[in-house]
Amino acid sequence: MAKKFIDIMDTTFRDGFQSVFGARVLMDDFLPAVSAAKEAGITHFEFGGGARFQSLFFYLNENAFDMMDKFREIVGKDVNLQTLSRGINTVTLDTGSREMIDLHAKLFKKHGTTTIRNFDALNDVENLKYSGERITHHGLKHEIVITMMDLPLGCKGAHDAAFYEKVLREILKSEIPFDSLCFKDASGTSSPQKVYETIKIARKLLPQDTHIRLHTHETAGVSVGCYLAALEAGVDGIDLAAHPVSGGTSQPDILTLIHATKGKDYDLGGLDPEKILKYEEVLYECLKDYFMPPEATKVNPIIPFSPMPGGALTANTQMMRDNNILDKFPEVIKAMREVVEKGGFGTSVTPVSQFYFQQAFNNVMFGPWKKIAEGYGKMVLGYFGKTPVPADSKIIELAKNELKLEPTTRSAIDIADEDYSKSSEFARSVLEKEGIEATDENIFIYLACKDKGLNFLKGHGDIKVRKGGNSNQTPIKQGDYTIVVNGVKYNTSIAYGHDANIEVVSVFKEGENAPKTRTISENDILSEIAANVYKVLVKPGEKVKAGQPIVVLEAMKMEIEVVAPKDGEIKEVFVKVGGVVESGEPLASY
């Protein structure tokens, strides 16, 4: 009797990179490994979308569409290249208009995609209807998704096999066109038994020729058990990665599953372990200079209590490294449990996982529930769709008051359509004002990446990649800087390279004393958090009112307004856009 063929999707170049390096891997560094993977017999790759769209513009100064084209050129026309889409959020954290959702499918088809895996983090089937329709309209295969996780201990009301059956029945009733179904557990917290029961139910409800897949992560330590349970229940495909971006926060290794299924009646992709070994050797050489975050290589026993996806975990720890606040991570991950419990049980996968993390971050940095993260607040108020269960009523009231928004049951995509800043017309006007050609690609880049996308298109992109063993090294750009030391400002220039002939001289004239260090005064407006300076909204001499925003900081993909504590006149502004501030550092003074 022939063994059952199991399709293997290699997630190395999308979810593997995201889960281990926070998606920050340069194209020219990894493309040789793509050739090696093809030679090893891989015929199904996850190669883009998800965080591997925005991150190329944010951190790598690369165009994601160019990367996709080069990937397709290497693997040839017959290989199944798959991307990840977040339903009405496509490849962003925010909702998109119908124009943007259609443009996403159109462009991803144009740039080499075969299949789009399409999910909604709230399992709100309404959010999958239009995106699914456009994916199939543009000639792509549509892999529809039910998102999974385990709830923190003591929580009930969603995320059991009965809940997933309900979602699947809603999908079938909606008549959304799809070619395959994936159960996606980004946090890797589902138990093997629940996986088995869920897939058994799906196999009974769906036509027998329907392709069913499981996607999970090793973060909680049960991924191999879940895959074996899924295979026993009748799954047709699973997702695996290659060393050194396998295991830990990523998918289990291809070789690990080949070993785990020895003696069983499964043929994992027709893959030869010896060829996979050679592919992994090439991949290791490609990535050996990259800093490997230690948290990316570990199983974390707290994850079932605070279900943080592997792909979001390292992206967030990398951002915390950027802001020198990585020491806060254990507190934030612990605080996430309460945030999940009170947030309506949306699945912890982007964008919802980021909302959970941002709110937990705020609860640690500013005090419990003192500052509502915009994404989390909008989610509990209904602006991203219907949560599986109602969020905590007190949290809804806090979000309503702080964000000055009423709870809504309106369609999230209808709300997005009414936002002019999410329209192609608005994007085109911004590009034309900057003298940038308004191609479909550039319009989508701006809509998906906003100011950072515009900076890329203007040639002002930045590269923030960690290589070597220094985990605390923050990438620095060349250029002129103002350094503030104890309130005293010094001008300096930074350039790459080393000049041994530089003469070190005093900046003070002979007999001149150094200026006295500046002490913090009651007139200073201080940063409450280590962050990047995103916008400076006031100038010296400008009069402000209490509560008026004066500076916008950026941390953990959040824009954090710093407001004037009282009426008065701004005497000095100490920061500039693009700078970095520490907690307690003066931003401006009266």
Side-chain angles (χ1 to χ4, degrees), residues 52-65:
R52 279 286 296 172
F53 186 85
Q54 284 185 329
S55 290
L56 273 68
F57 301 98
F58 288 5
Y59 305 120
L60 305 180
N61 197 28
E62 293 181 345
N63 190 319
F65 293 120

Side-chain angles (χ1 to χ4, degrees), residues 7-10 42-46 79-82 213:
D7 180 76
I8 302 299
M9 182 169 77
D10 183 357
I42 304 292
T43 59
H44 188 180
F45 294 89
E46 188 179 38
V79 167
N80 185 356
L81 292 185
Q82 187 159 319
R213 305 188 66 86

Side-chain angles (χ1 to χ4, degrees), residues 421-486:
S421 70
K422 296 180 179 181
S423 69
S424 294
E425 183 180 336
F426 176 76
R428 187 176 290 107
S429 69
V430 171
L431 296 175
E432 290 174 351
K433 184 179 178 181
E434 296 289 344
I436 298 170
E437 186 180 2
T439 63
D440 282 349
E441 284 84 354
N442 289 349
I443 287 171
F444 188 81
I445 289 167
Y446 177 74
L447 289 174
C449 304
K450 302 300 182 185
D451 290 347
K452 291 181 180 179
L454 189 62
N455 283 340
F456 169 84
L457 294 172
K458 291 164 67 175
H460 299 159
D462 195 13
I463 297 176
K464 294 183 178 180
V465 172
R466 278 190 174 78
K467 292 189 177 184
N470 186 353
S471 64
N472 295 314
Q473 180 181 355
T474 300
I476 299 176
K477 295 186 293 183
Q478 299 185 92
D480 297 327
Y481 289 81
T482 298
I483 298 174
V484 181
V485 182
N486 293 328

